[in-house]
Amino acid sequence: MSGYVAGNVTVEYRAAPRTPASWPHRVGVIPRETAAFQERDEVEGLRAAVSGGGTAVLCQVLRGIGGVGKTQLAAHYVRQVWNAGELDVLVWVGASSRSAIIAAYAQAAEELLAVEPGDPERCAQAFLKWLEPRPPGSEPACRWLVVLDDVADPADVTALWPVKNPHGRTVVTTRRRDVAVPGQRIDLAPPPSPACCPSPAPCRTTKPPRSPPHGRCP
């Protein structure tokens, strides 16, 4: 609200009431799929683990060293379920720090609940409260998915884990092997390297007159 005083009259300007975003709605930026992304068996395992419970949120944790494709695998799954119309709300959270998680939750609250910005902690808790199951018949159930990408320290997510909800799903990616959350875990190994010499292209060598031994690229 703002205004000015003109003589004995105070003129005030009031902002229009905020309106919650309609569904379906996405919050956050899903990483682009890289050209080197390879379809892996873990995609179906992730779908089965997160979607198969039916009565409670299943927190799927993708663990592995850097570079094994955790974020790309999670993003691929997210695109699949979003494009298939299986979600009403998708929230992608860069979870490398507690402040980043709170900021993402606060953004979700501002967009989905039309809460007034200014207090990120309060907004984040409002969003977590909104994720809770609603009494039957109170309002339409929301099919939501929250992705916590790259959790660096389990302590950062203390009191910030999405609640259990039969209509909700949570996916976590992390390098840590000690993230204590409910749900199934998938440990990822590096994807197989592509063949060095895909047929029919010939191998390239540093010595044109000779072929590499055993048909392998140097």
Short mmCIF file of all heavy atoms in Angstrom, two decimals, residues 59 93 95-103 105 120-121 124-125 128 148 151-163 172 176 178-182:
data_model
loop_
_atom_site.label_atom_id
_atom_site.label_comp_id
_atom_site.label_asym_id
_atom_site.label_seq_id
_atom_site.Cartn_x
_atom_site.Cartn_y
_atom_site.Cartn_z
N CYS A 59 9.27 -41.40 -0.79
CA CYS A 59 10.39 -40.51 -1.05
C CYS A 59 11.49 -41.31 -1.72
O CYS A 59 12.09 -42.20 -1.11
CB CYS A 59 10.89 -39.90 0.26
SG CYS A 59 12.18 -38.69 0.02
N VAL A 93 13.21 -28.01 -6.74
CA VAL A 93 13.96 -27.25 -5.73
C VAL A 93 15.44 -27.56 -5.87
O VAL A 93 15.85 -28.72 -5.78
CB VAL A 93 13.49 -27.62 -4.31
CG1 VAL A 93 14.30 -26.85 -3.26
CG2 VAL A 93 12.00 -27.36 -4.15
N ALA A 95 18.43 -27.90 -3.99
CA ALA A 95 18.51 -28.11 -2.53
C ALA A 95 19.94 -28.14 -2.02
O ALA A 95 20.24 -28.84 -1.06
CB ALA A 95 17.78 -29.40 -2.17
N SER A 96 20.82 -27.37 -2.61
CA SER A 96 22.22 -27.41 -2.20
C SER A 96 22.46 -26.70 -0.87
O SER A 96 23.54 -26.84 -0.28
CB SER A 96 23.11 -26.77 -3.28
OG SER A 96 22.70 -25.44 -3.53
N SER A 97 21.48 -25.94 -0.37
CA SER A 97 21.61 -25.29 0.93
C SER A 97 20.22 -25.11 1.54
O SER A 97 19.22 -25.14 0.83
CB SER A 97 22.30 -23.92 0.80
OG SER A 97 21.46 -23.00 0.11
N ARG A 98 20.19 -24.91 2.84
CA ARG A 98 18.90 -24.71 3.51
C ARG A 98 18.23 -23.43 3.03
O ARG A 98 17.01 -23.40 2.81
CB ARG A 98 19.09 -24.67 5.03
CG ARG A 98 17.78 -24.57 5.80
CD ARG A 98 17.97 -24.67 7.31
NE ARG A 98 16.69 -24.63 8.01
CZ ARG A 98 15.92 -25.68 8.22
NH1 ARG A 98 16.28 -26.87 7.77
NH2 ARG A 98 14.77 -25.55 8.86
N SER A 99 19.00 -22.38 2.84
CA SER A 99 18.42 -21.12 2.38
C SER A 99 17.82 -21.27 0.99
O SER A 99 16.78 -20.67 0.70
CB SER A 99 19.47 -20.02 2.39
OG SER A 99 20.55 -20.34 1.51
N ALA A 100 18.44 -22.08 0.14
CA ALA A 100 17.90 -22.30 -1.20
C ALA A 100 16.58 -23.06 -1.14
O ALA A 100 15.65 -22.78 -1.90
CB ALA A 100 18.91 -23.06 -2.06
N ILE A 101 16.49 -24.04 -0.24
CA ILE A 101 15.25 -24.80 -0.09
C ILE A 101 14.13 -23.89 0.40
O ILE A 101 13.01 -23.90 -0.13
CB ILE A 101 15.45 -25.98 0.88
CG1 ILE A 101 16.49 -26.96 0.33
CG2 ILE A 101 14.13 -26.71 1.13
CD1 ILE A 101 16.93 -28.01 1.32
N ILE A 102 14.42 -23.09 1.41
CA ILE A 102 13.42 -22.18 1.97
C ILE A 102 12.96 -21.19 0.90
O ILE A 102 11.76 -20.90 0.78
CB ILE A 102 13.98 -21.45 3.20
CG1 ILE A 102 14.14 -22.45 4.36
CG2 ILE A 102 13.07 -20.30 3.61
CD1 ILE A 102 14.84 -21.87 5.57
N ALA A 103 13.90 -20.66 0.13
CA ALA A 103 13.55 -19.70 -0.92
C ALA A 103 12.63 -20.34 -1.96
O ALA A 103 11.67 -19.71 -2.43
CB ALA A 103 14.81 -19.16 -1.58
N TYR A 105 10.61 -22.99 -1.53
CA TYR A 105 9.30 -23.21 -0.90
C TYR A 105 8.52 -21.90 -0.78
O TYR A 105 7.29 -21.87 -0.98
CB TYR A 105 9.49 -23.82 0.49
CG TYR A 105 9.85 -25.28 0.54
CD1 TYR A 105 10.05 -26.01 -0.63
CD2 TYR A 105 10.00 -25.94 1.75
CE1 TYR A 105 10.38 -27.36 -0.58
CE2 TYR A 105 10.32 -27.28 1.81
CZ TYR A 105 10.51 -27.99 0.65
OH TYR A 105 10.83 -29.33 0.70
N PRO A 120 10.41 -15.39 4.21
CA PRO A 120 10.60 -16.69 3.56
C PRO A 120 10.30 -17.88 4.46
O PRO A 120 9.70 -18.86 4.01
CB PRO A 120 12.08 -16.67 3.14
CG PRO A 120 12.41 -15.21 3.02
CD PRO A 120 11.61 -14.54 4.08
N GLU A 121 10.71 -17.82 5.73
CA GLU A 121 10.45 -18.94 6.64
C GLU A 121 8.95 -19.17 6.80
O GLU A 121 8.48 -20.31 6.74
CB GLU A 121 11.09 -18.67 7.99
CG GLU A 121 12.61 -18.78 8.01
CD GLU A 121 13.07 -20.23 8.20
OE1 GLU A 121 12.21 -21.12 8.28
OE2 GLU A 121 14.30 -20.43 8.25
N ALA A 124 7.55 -20.59 3.59
CA ALA A 124 7.95 -21.99 3.40
C ALA A 124 7.09 -22.92 4.23
O ALA A 124 6.64 -23.97 3.76
CB ALA A 124 9.43 -22.17 3.75
N GLN A 125 6.82 -22.55 5.47
CA GLN A 125 5.98 -23.38 6.33
C GLN A 125 4.54 -23.41 5.83
O GLN A 125 3.85 -24.43 5.94
CB GLN A 125 6.05 -22.88 7.77
CG GLN A 125 7.39 -23.11 8.44
CD GLN A 125 7.81 -24.58 8.44
OE1 GLN A 125 6.99 -25.47 8.70
NE2 GLN A 125 9.08 -24.84 8.16
N LEU A 128 4.51 -26.03 3.09
CA LEU A 128 4.52 -27.39 3.65
C LEU A 128 3.16 -27.75 4.23
O LEU A 128 2.70 -28.90 4.09
CB LEU A 128 5.61 -27.50 4.71
CG LEU A 128 7.05 -27.49 4.21
CD1 LEU A 128 8.02 -27.41 5.37
CD2 LEU A 128 7.33 -28.73 3.36
N LEU A 148 13.72 -32.47 -4.65
CA LEU A 148 14.81 -31.83 -3.91
C LEU A 148 16.11 -32.27 -4.56
O LEU A 148 16.60 -33.38 -4.31
CB LEU A 148 14.76 -32.22 -2.43
CG LEU A 148 13.52 -31.77 -1.66
CD1 LEU A 148 13.44 -32.45 -0.31
CD2 LEU A 148 13.52 -30.26 -1.49
N VAL A 151 20.74 -32.51 -2.59
CA VAL A 151 20.80 -32.25 -1.15
C VAL A 151 22.24 -32.46 -0.69
O VAL A 151 22.78 -33.56 -0.79
CB VAL A 151 19.85 -33.19 -0.38
CG1 VAL A 151 20.06 -33.04 1.12
CG2 VAL A 151 18.41 -32.90 -0.75
N ALA A 152 22.87 -31.39 -0.20
CA ALA A 152 24.27 -31.46 0.18
C ALA A 152 24.46 -31.89 1.62
O ALA A 152 25.42 -32.58 1.96
CB ALA A 152 24.95 -30.11 -0.05
N ASP A 153 23.54 -31.47 2.50
CA ASP A 153 23.65 -31.78 3.92
C ASP A 153 22.26 -32.16 4.44
O ASP A 153 21.33 -31.35 4.35
CB ASP A 153 24.17 -30.56 4.68
CG ASP A 153 24.42 -30.83 6.15
OD1 ASP A 153 23.95 -31.87 6.66
OD2 ASP A 153 25.09 -30.00 6.80
N PRO A 154 22.11 -33.37 4.97
CA PRO A 154 20.79 -33.78 5.47
C PRO A 154 20.21 -32.80 6.48
O PRO A 154 18.99 -32.64 6.56
CB PRO A 154 21.06 -35.15 6.10
CG PRO A 154 22.28 -35.65 5.41
CD PRO A 154 23.10 -34.45 5.10
N ALA A 155 21.06 -32.12 7.23
CA ALA A 155 20.55 -31.18 8.23
C ALA A 155 19.83 -30.00 7.59
O ALA A 155 18.98 -29.37 8.22
CB ALA A 155 21.71 -30.66 9.09
N ASP A 156 20.16 -29.71 6.33
CA ASP A 156 19.51 -28.58 5.65
C ASP A 156 18.02 -28.80 5.46
O ASP A 156 17.26 -27.85 5.27
CB ASP A 156 20.16 -28.36 4.27
CG ASP A 156 21.56 -27.80 4.38
OD1 ASP A 156 21.90 -27.25 5.44
OD2 ASP A 156 22.32 -27.91 3.39
N VAL A 157 17.59 -30.07 5.48
CA VAL A 157 16.18 -30.37 5.20
C VAL A 157 15.41 -30.68 6.48
O VAL A 157 14.25 -31.09 6.42
CB VAL A 157 16.08 -31.55 4.20
CG1 VAL A 157 14.73 -31.52 3.49
CG2 VAL A 157 17.18 -31.51 3.16
N THR A 158 16.05 -30.48 7.62
CA THR A 158 15.35 -30.69 8.89
C THR A 158 14.11 -29.80 8.96
O THR A 158 14.18 -28.60 8.73
CB THR A 158 16.28 -30.37 10.07
OG1 THR A 158 17.43 -31.20 10.01
CG2 THR A 158 15.56 -30.59 11.40
N ALA A 159 12.97 -30.43 9.26
CA ALA A 159 11.67 -29.74 9.35
C ALA A 159 11.21 -29.17 8.01
O ALA A 159 10.28 -28.37 7.97
CB ALA A 159 11.71 -28.63 10.39
N LEU A 160 11.84 -29.60 6.92
CA LEU A 160 11.45 -29.12 5.59
C LEU A 160 11.07 -30.25 4.64
O LEU A 160 10.86 -30.00 3.45
CB LEU A 160 12.58 -28.28 4.97
CG LEU A 160 12.93 -26.97 5.67
CD1 LEU A 160 14.13 -26.31 5.00
CD2 LEU A 160 11.74 -26.01 5.67
N TRP A 161 11.00 -31.48 5.15
CA TRP A 161 10.61 -32.59 4.28
C TRP A 161 9.13 -32.48 3.94
O TRP A 161 8.30 -32.21 4.82
CB TRP A 161 10.86 -33.94 4.95
CG TRP A 161 12.29 -34.31 5.09
CD1 TRP A 161 13.00 -34.39 6.25
CD2 TRP A 161 13.19 -34.66 4.04
NE1 TRP A 161 14.29 -34.76 5.98
CE2 TRP A 161 14.44 -34.93 4.64
CE3 TRP A 161 13.07 -34.76 2.66
CZ2 TRP A 161 15.56 -35.31 3.90
CZ3 TRP A 161 14.18 -35.13 1.91
CH2 TRP A 161 15.40 -35.40 2.54
N PRO A 162 8.75 -32.70 2.68
CA PRO A 162 7.32 -32.74 2.34
C PRO A 162 6.61 -33.81 3.15
O PRO A 162 7.16 -34.88 3.42
CB PRO A 162 7.33 -33.08 0.85
CG PRO A 162 8.65 -32.56 0.36
CD PRO A 162 9.62 -32.81 1.49
N VAL A 163 5.39 -33.53 3.52
CA VAL A 163 4.64 -34.42 4.39
C VAL A 163 4.10 -35.62 3.61
O VAL A 163 4.08 -35.63 2.39
CB VAL A 163 3.46 -33.68 5.04
CG1 VAL A 163 3.97 -32.56 5.93
CG2 VAL A 163 2.53 -33.12 3.96
N VAL A 172 14.33 -37.14 -4.35
CA VAL A 172 15.52 -36.48 -3.81
C VAL A 172 16.74 -36.99 -4.56
O VAL A 172 16.86 -38.19 -4.81
CB VAL A 172 15.69 -36.79 -2.30
CG1 VAL A 172 16.93 -36.11 -1.74
CG2 VAL A 172 14.45 -36.39 -1.53
N ARG A 176 25.16 -37.73 -0.88
CA ARG A 176 25.32 -38.29 0.46
C ARG A 176 24.65 -39.64 0.56
O ARG A 176 23.59 -39.87 0.00
CB ARG A 176 24.71 -37.32 1.49
CG ARG A 176 25.34 -35.95 1.52
CD ARG A 176 26.69 -36.00 2.20
NE ARG A 176 26.57 -36.38 3.59
CZ ARG A 176 26.55 -35.50 4.59
NH1 ARG A 176 26.62 -34.22 4.34
NH2 ARG A 176 26.46 -35.91 5.84
N ASP A 178 23.95 -40.85 3.62
CA ASP A 178 23.40 -40.90 4.97
C ASP A 178 22.16 -40.02 5.10
O ASP A 178 21.83 -39.60 6.20
CB ASP A 178 24.45 -40.46 5.98
CG ASP A 178 25.00 -39.06 5.70
OD1 ASP A 178 24.76 -38.54 4.60
OD2 ASP A 178 25.68 -38.51 6.58
N VAL A 179 21.49 -39.73 3.98
CA VAL A 179 20.28 -38.93 4.05
C VAL A 179 19.16 -39.79 4.63
O VAL A 179 18.75 -40.77 4.01
CB VAL A 179 19.88 -38.39 2.67
CG1 VAL A 179 18.58 -37.61 2.74
CG2 VAL A 179 20.99 -37.49 2.12
N ALA A 180 18.69 -39.44 5.81
CA ALA A 180 17.70 -40.26 6.51
C ALA A 180 16.30 -39.79 6.14
O ALA A 180 15.77 -38.85 6.71
CB ALA A 180 17.91 -40.16 8.02
N VAL A 181 15.71 -40.45 5.15
CA VAL A 181 14.33 -40.15 4.76
C VAL A 181 13.62 -41.47 4.50
O VAL A 181 14.25 -42.48 4.19
CB VAL A 181 14.28 -39.28 3.48
CG1 VAL A 181 14.87 -37.92 3.74
CG2 VAL A 181 14.98 -39.95 2.32
N PRO A 182 12.30 -41.47 4.64
CA PRO A 182 11.57 -42.69 4.33
C PRO A 182 11.56 -42.94 2.83
O PRO A 182 11.69 -42.01 2.03
CB PRO A 182 10.16 -42.38 4.85
CG PRO A 182 10.06 -40.89 4.76
CD PRO A 182 11.43 -40.38 5.09
#
